[in-house]
Amino acid sequence: ANFLNLKKLYLYGDGFYHFPEVISSHYLNLEFLDFSGNAISNLPDNIGNLIKLDTLILNNPQDSKRLKKLPDSFGNLKS
């Protein structure tokens, strides 16, 4: 199946510690991305490729793994 036109992706609590760069490289039509319940501590530099993304949820259960900074390309995302 071809998921390149996927608009919503829910990855709640799936055990991610790193943001899969394949998402920001290939799923460019994403508008909604839910990573809640995962210990994502950084975003890839190419997160700005997701220019259609208007909702990004990163609720993190582990305080020690919080995002420390946002990549410069984060400003390319929809506001």
Side-chain angles (χ1 to χ4, degrees), residues 34-75:
D34 183 354
F35 262 110
S36 14
N38 290 286
I40 302 290
S41 60
N42 59 25
L43 295 173
D45 290 335
N46 68 352
I47 189 75
N49 291 346
L50 301 176
I51 58 172
K52 295 182 181 181
L53 192 69
D54 62 14
T55 303
L56 175 62
I57 303 172
L58 294 169
N59 295 344
N60 186 340
Q62 299 180 23
D63 285 342
S64 64
K65 298 285 187 182
R66 290 184 184 227
L67 286 175
K68 293 174 180 46
K69 67 176 191 162
L70 296 173
D72 292 339
S73 71
F74 193 80

Side-chain angles (χ1 to χ4, degrees), residues 20-31:
E21 215 166 312
V22 67
I23 291 173
S24 48
S25 296
H26 296 291
Y27 299 96
L28 305 180
N29 289 310
L30 277 177
E31 297 172 358

Side-chain angles (χ1 to χ4, degrees), residues 2-10 27-31:
N2 183 344
F3 296 105
L4 297 180
N5 291 315
L6 194 66
K7 296 198 182 300
K8 292 185 178 184
L9 185 58
Y10 295 88
Y27 299 96
L28 305 180
N29 289 310
L30 277 177
E31 297 172 358

